[in-house]
Short mmCIF file of all heavy atoms in Angstrom, two decimals:
data_model
loop_
_atom_site.label_atom_id
_atom_site.label_comp_id
_atom_site.label_asym_id
_atom_site.label_seq_id
_atom_site.Cartn_x
_atom_site.Cartn_y
_atom_site.Cartn_z
N SER A 1 105.15 -27.22 -57.98
CA SER A 1 106.36 -27.93 -58.36
C SER A 1 106.20 -29.45 -58.18
O SER A 1 107.07 -30.23 -58.34
CB SER A 1 107.54 -27.47 -57.40
OG SER A 1 107.69 -26.09 -57.44
N GLY A 2 104.89 -29.87 -57.89
CA GLY A 2 104.69 -31.27 -57.95
C GLY A 2 104.55 -31.90 -56.52
O GLY A 2 104.82 -33.14 -56.37
N TYR A 3 104.23 -31.19 -55.45
CA TYR A 3 104.11 -31.70 -54.09
C TYR A 3 102.69 -31.48 -53.63
O TYR A 3 102.12 -30.47 -53.92
CB TYR A 3 105.12 -31.12 -53.16
CG TYR A 3 106.53 -31.42 -53.52
CD1 TYR A 3 107.27 -30.82 -54.52
CD2 TYR A 3 107.12 -32.52 -52.89
CE1 TYR A 3 108.52 -31.17 -54.85
CE2 TYR A 3 108.45 -32.84 -53.24
CZ TYR A 3 109.14 -32.24 -54.11
OH TYR A 3 110.43 -32.65 -54.52
N VAL A 4 102.28 -32.34 -52.77
CA VAL A 4 101.10 -32.15 -52.03
C VAL A 4 101.60 -31.58 -50.67
O VAL A 4 102.37 -32.15 -49.96
CB VAL A 4 100.26 -33.42 -51.71
CG1 VAL A 4 99.02 -33.25 -50.76
CG2 VAL A 4 99.82 -34.02 -53.05
N VAL A 5 100.89 -30.41 -50.29
CA VAL A 5 101.39 -29.75 -49.07
C VAL A 5 100.20 -29.57 -48.16
O VAL A 5 99.26 -28.91 -48.41
CB VAL A 5 101.96 -28.35 -49.41
CG1 VAL A 5 102.53 -27.62 -48.17
CG2 VAL A 5 103.05 -28.48 -50.51
N ALA A 6 100.34 -30.19 -46.91
CA ALA A 6 99.31 -30.14 -45.90
C ALA A 6 99.74 -29.17 -44.83
O ALA A 6 100.91 -29.46 -44.20
CB ALA A 6 99.03 -31.55 -45.36
N ALA A 7 98.98 -28.18 -44.46
CA ALA A 7 99.52 -27.19 -43.44
C ALA A 7 98.44 -26.99 -42.35
O ALA A 7 97.36 -26.36 -42.59
CB ALA A 7 99.81 -25.88 -44.12
N PRO A 8 98.58 -27.67 -41.22
CA PRO A 8 97.68 -27.49 -40.14
C PRO A 8 97.80 -26.12 -39.45
O PRO A 8 98.90 -25.56 -39.36
CB PRO A 8 97.99 -28.52 -39.19
CG PRO A 8 99.41 -28.93 -39.42
CD PRO A 8 99.62 -28.64 -40.96
N ALA A 9 96.74 -25.56 -38.86
CA ALA A 9 96.87 -24.35 -37.99
C ALA A 9 96.89 -24.90 -36.54
O ALA A 9 95.93 -25.54 -36.08
CB ALA A 9 95.70 -23.50 -38.21
N TYR A 10 97.99 -24.67 -35.76
CA TYR A 10 98.09 -25.21 -34.43
C TYR A 10 97.40 -24.45 -33.40
O TYR A 10 97.30 -23.18 -33.46
CB TYR A 10 99.57 -25.24 -34.15
CG TYR A 10 100.42 -26.35 -35.04
CD1 TYR A 10 101.42 -25.73 -35.92
CD2 TYR A 10 100.18 -27.63 -35.08
CE1 TYR A 10 102.16 -26.61 -36.73
CE2 TYR A 10 100.82 -28.40 -35.87
CZ TYR A 10 101.82 -27.94 -36.66
OH TYR A 10 102.56 -28.79 -37.51
N PRO A 11 96.68 -25.02 -32.47
CA PRO A 11 95.74 -24.46 -31.60
C PRO A 11 96.24 -23.33 -30.77
O PRO A 11 95.56 -22.34 -30.44
CB PRO A 11 95.16 -25.54 -30.84
CG PRO A 11 96.17 -26.68 -30.83
CD PRO A 11 96.78 -26.51 -32.23
N PHE A 12 97.49 -23.47 -30.29
CA PHE A 12 97.96 -22.51 -29.25
C PHE A 12 99.13 -21.51 -29.78
O PHE A 12 99.75 -20.76 -29.03
CB PHE A 12 98.57 -23.15 -28.13
CG PHE A 12 97.41 -23.90 -27.38
CD1 PHE A 12 97.39 -25.26 -27.35
CD2 PHE A 12 96.39 -23.23 -26.72
CE1 PHE A 12 96.33 -26.02 -26.70
CE2 PHE A 12 95.36 -23.94 -26.07
CZ PHE A 12 95.35 -25.33 -26.17
N THR A 13 99.47 -21.60 -31.10
CA THR A 13 100.54 -20.63 -31.66
C THR A 13 100.01 -19.99 -32.94
O THR A 13 100.73 -19.18 -33.45
CB THR A 13 101.85 -21.39 -31.91
OG1 THR A 13 101.67 -22.37 -32.99
CG2 THR A 13 102.31 -22.12 -30.64
N LYS A 14 98.89 -20.26 -33.39
CA LYS A 14 98.29 -19.68 -34.61
C LYS A 14 97.90 -18.20 -34.34
O LYS A 14 97.65 -17.77 -33.22
CB LYS A 14 97.13 -20.47 -35.16
CG LYS A 14 95.89 -20.44 -34.21
CD LYS A 14 94.83 -21.31 -34.88
CE LYS A 14 93.60 -21.29 -33.88
NZ LYS A 14 92.54 -22.26 -34.46
N LYS A 15 97.82 -17.41 -35.43
CA LYS A 15 97.30 -16.07 -35.39
C LYS A 15 95.94 -16.05 -34.99
O LYS A 15 95.06 -16.84 -35.45
CB LYS A 15 97.54 -15.46 -36.82
CG LYS A 15 97.12 -14.00 -36.92
CD LYS A 15 97.32 -13.51 -38.34
CE LYS A 15 96.77 -12.07 -38.54
NZ LYS A 15 97.33 -11.05 -37.67
N ASP A 16 95.58 -15.12 -34.15
CA ASP A 16 94.30 -14.92 -33.59
C ASP A 16 93.68 -16.07 -32.86
O ASP A 16 92.49 -16.16 -32.74
CB ASP A 16 93.35 -14.46 -34.74
CG ASP A 16 93.79 -13.12 -35.42
OD1 ASP A 16 94.34 -12.33 -34.73
OD2 ASP A 16 93.60 -13.15 -36.66
N GLY A 17 94.51 -16.87 -32.33
CA GLY A 17 94.05 -17.99 -31.61
C GLY A 17 93.55 -17.42 -30.20
O GLY A 17 93.94 -16.36 -29.77
N PRO A 18 92.76 -18.28 -29.48
CA PRO A 18 92.19 -17.80 -28.24
C PRO A 18 93.25 -17.74 -27.07
O PRO A 18 93.08 -16.97 -26.08
CB PRO A 18 91.13 -18.77 -27.85
CG PRO A 18 91.54 -20.05 -28.62
CD PRO A 18 92.21 -19.53 -29.91
N LYS A 19 94.30 -18.51 -27.17
CA LYS A 19 95.36 -18.49 -26.18
C LYS A 19 96.64 -18.88 -26.86
O LYS A 19 96.68 -19.85 -27.66
CB LYS A 19 95.00 -19.56 -25.11
CG LYS A 19 96.00 -19.63 -24.03
CD LYS A 19 95.62 -20.81 -23.04
CE LYS A 19 96.68 -20.96 -22.04
NZ LYS A 19 96.37 -22.02 -21.00
N PHE A 20 97.71 -18.04 -26.49
CA PHE A 20 99.00 -18.45 -27.00
C PHE A 20 99.82 -19.10 -25.93
O PHE A 20 99.93 -18.67 -24.80
CB PHE A 20 99.80 -17.10 -27.48
CG PHE A 20 101.16 -17.30 -27.97
CD1 PHE A 20 101.37 -17.91 -29.21
CD2 PHE A 20 102.19 -17.00 -27.14
CE1 PHE A 20 102.69 -18.10 -29.66
CE2 PHE A 20 103.47 -17.31 -27.62
CZ PHE A 20 103.78 -17.76 -28.83
N ASP A 21 100.52 -20.12 -26.44
CA ASP A 21 101.40 -20.91 -25.45
C ASP A 21 102.60 -21.44 -26.28
O ASP A 21 102.51 -22.46 -27.06
CB ASP A 21 100.64 -22.08 -24.88
CG ASP A 21 101.50 -22.89 -23.89
OD1 ASP A 21 102.59 -22.44 -23.58
OD2 ASP A 21 100.91 -23.96 -23.37
N LYS A 22 103.73 -20.79 -26.13
CA LYS A 22 104.90 -21.18 -26.88
C LYS A 22 105.54 -22.54 -26.46
O LYS A 22 106.22 -23.15 -27.14
CB LYS A 22 106.05 -20.12 -26.85
CG LYS A 22 106.62 -19.94 -25.41
CD LYS A 22 107.68 -18.84 -25.47
CE LYS A 22 108.32 -18.65 -24.16
NZ LYS A 22 109.28 -17.54 -24.06
N THR A 23 105.12 -22.96 -25.26
CA THR A 23 105.61 -24.24 -24.80
C THR A 23 104.86 -25.44 -25.40
O THR A 23 105.22 -26.60 -25.09
CB THR A 23 105.47 -24.34 -23.22
OG1 THR A 23 104.11 -24.37 -22.86
CG2 THR A 23 106.13 -23.19 -22.60
N ASP A 24 103.85 -25.16 -26.19
CA ASP A 24 103.12 -26.29 -26.83
C ASP A 24 103.83 -26.85 -28.03
O ASP A 24 103.24 -27.76 -28.63
CB ASP A 24 101.68 -25.70 -27.19
CG ASP A 24 100.73 -26.75 -27.61
OD1 ASP A 24 100.51 -27.68 -26.74
OD2 ASP A 24 100.20 -26.73 -28.69
N VAL A 25 104.93 -26.28 -28.39
CA VAL A 25 105.58 -26.86 -29.74
C VAL A 25 105.82 -28.28 -29.76
O VAL A 25 105.54 -28.89 -30.80
CB VAL A 25 106.87 -26.01 -29.89
CG1 VAL A 25 107.63 -26.60 -31.04
CG2 VAL A 25 106.60 -24.51 -30.25
N PRO A 26 106.29 -28.95 -28.74
CA PRO A 26 106.43 -30.43 -28.81
C PRO A 26 105.19 -31.12 -29.13
O PRO A 26 105.07 -32.13 -29.93
CB PRO A 26 106.97 -30.80 -27.44
CG PRO A 26 107.65 -29.58 -26.89
CD PRO A 26 106.79 -28.46 -27.51
N ASN A 27 104.00 -30.63 -28.60
CA ASN A 27 102.66 -31.21 -28.96
C ASN A 27 102.35 -30.96 -30.39
O ASN A 27 101.68 -31.74 -30.99
CB ASN A 27 101.67 -30.61 -28.07
CG ASN A 27 101.74 -30.98 -26.58
OD1 ASN A 27 102.13 -32.16 -26.34
ND2 ASN A 27 101.49 -30.10 -25.68
N GLN A 28 102.80 -29.95 -31.00
CA GLN A 28 102.65 -29.60 -32.42
C GLN A 28 103.27 -30.72 -33.24
O GLN A 28 102.64 -30.95 -34.33
CB GLN A 28 103.16 -28.16 -32.75
CG GLN A 28 102.31 -27.05 -32.12
CD GLN A 28 102.84 -25.72 -32.56
OE1 GLN A 28 102.19 -24.63 -32.23
NE2 GLN A 28 103.86 -25.60 -33.31
N ALA A 29 104.33 -31.14 -32.87
CA ALA A 29 105.00 -32.23 -33.59
C ALA A 29 104.15 -33.43 -33.65
O ALA A 29 104.00 -34.12 -34.62
CB ALA A 29 106.41 -32.54 -33.07
N VAL A 30 103.47 -33.79 -32.57
CA VAL A 30 102.48 -34.95 -32.55
C VAL A 30 101.31 -34.61 -33.43
O VAL A 30 100.90 -35.50 -34.15
CB VAL A 30 102.09 -35.31 -31.07
CG1 VAL A 30 101.22 -36.48 -31.07
CG2 VAL A 30 103.29 -35.48 -30.21
N ASP A 31 100.92 -33.36 -33.43
CA ASP A 31 99.81 -32.83 -34.29
C ASP A 31 100.14 -33.22 -35.76
O ASP A 31 99.43 -33.65 -36.58
CB ASP A 31 99.49 -31.41 -34.11
CG ASP A 31 98.86 -31.12 -32.80
OD1 ASP A 31 98.31 -32.07 -32.16
OD2 ASP A 31 98.98 -29.94 -32.33
N ALA A 32 101.44 -32.80 -36.10
CA ALA A 32 101.88 -32.96 -37.40
C ALA A 32 101.83 -34.35 -37.91
O ALA A 32 101.32 -34.63 -39.07
CB ALA A 32 103.27 -32.38 -37.58
N SER A 33 102.36 -35.30 -37.06
CA SER A 33 102.28 -36.68 -37.52
C SER A 33 100.87 -37.21 -37.63
O SER A 33 100.51 -37.98 -38.55
CB SER A 33 102.95 -37.57 -36.40
OG SER A 33 104.37 -37.29 -36.39
N PHE A 34 99.95 -36.62 -36.77
CA PHE A 34 98.55 -37.04 -36.90
C PHE A 34 97.97 -36.59 -38.16
O PHE A 34 97.20 -37.33 -38.86
CB PHE A 34 97.77 -36.34 -35.64
CG PHE A 34 96.28 -36.54 -35.72
CD1 PHE A 34 95.75 -37.67 -35.31
CD2 PHE A 34 95.49 -35.54 -36.19
CE1 PHE A 34 94.34 -37.93 -35.34
CE2 PHE A 34 94.14 -35.71 -36.18
CZ PHE A 34 93.54 -36.93 -35.78
N VAL A 35 98.22 -35.39 -38.60
CA VAL A 35 97.67 -34.81 -39.81
C VAL A 35 98.21 -35.65 -41.07
O VAL A 35 97.49 -35.96 -41.99
CB VAL A 35 98.18 -33.40 -40.05
CG1 VAL A 35 97.83 -32.85 -41.42
CG2 VAL A 35 97.29 -32.52 -38.96
N ILE A 36 99.53 -36.01 -41.02
CA ILE A 36 100.02 -36.95 -41.99
C ILE A 36 99.20 -38.28 -42.18
O ILE A 36 98.82 -38.59 -43.26
CB ILE A 36 101.49 -37.29 -41.81
CG1 ILE A 36 102.39 -36.02 -41.96
CG2 ILE A 36 101.99 -38.32 -42.77
CD1 ILE A 36 103.84 -36.11 -41.57
N THR A 37 98.98 -38.81 -40.98
CA THR A 37 98.15 -40.11 -40.97
C THR A 37 96.73 -39.88 -41.54
O THR A 37 96.18 -40.61 -42.40
CB THR A 37 98.00 -40.55 -39.46
OG1 THR A 37 99.34 -40.84 -39.07
CG2 THR A 37 97.20 -41.78 -39.53
N GLN A 38 96.07 -38.68 -41.17
CA GLN A 38 94.73 -38.41 -41.63
C GLN A 38 94.80 -38.08 -43.23
O GLN A 38 93.83 -38.52 -43.86
CB GLN A 38 94.19 -37.10 -40.95
CG GLN A 38 93.99 -37.31 -39.55
CD GLN A 38 93.09 -38.50 -39.13
OE1 GLN A 38 91.93 -38.50 -39.59
NE2 GLN A 38 93.57 -39.41 -38.39
N MET A 39 95.83 -37.51 -43.67
CA MET A 39 95.84 -37.32 -45.11
C MET A 39 95.98 -38.61 -45.99
O MET A 39 95.50 -38.66 -47.16
CB MET A 39 97.13 -36.36 -45.43
CG MET A 39 96.97 -34.97 -45.03
SD MET A 39 95.56 -34.12 -45.80
CE MET A 39 95.96 -34.36 -47.55
N MET A 40 96.57 -39.53 -45.40
CA MET A 40 96.76 -40.85 -46.10
C MET A 40 95.72 -41.84 -45.76
O MET A 40 95.70 -43.04 -46.27
CB MET A 40 98.15 -41.38 -45.80
CG MET A 40 99.25 -40.50 -46.32
SD MET A 40 100.89 -41.38 -46.25
CE MET A 40 101.11 -41.65 -44.49
#
């Protein structure tokens, strides 16, 4: 539809990750901003 879509796999909530931690979600938001910066 005309969008660039960047999708990171988060370290503690992704499928088949070594450790699951649902409390890591706020850190994922910081990860998301970091990925946006890296893309540009």
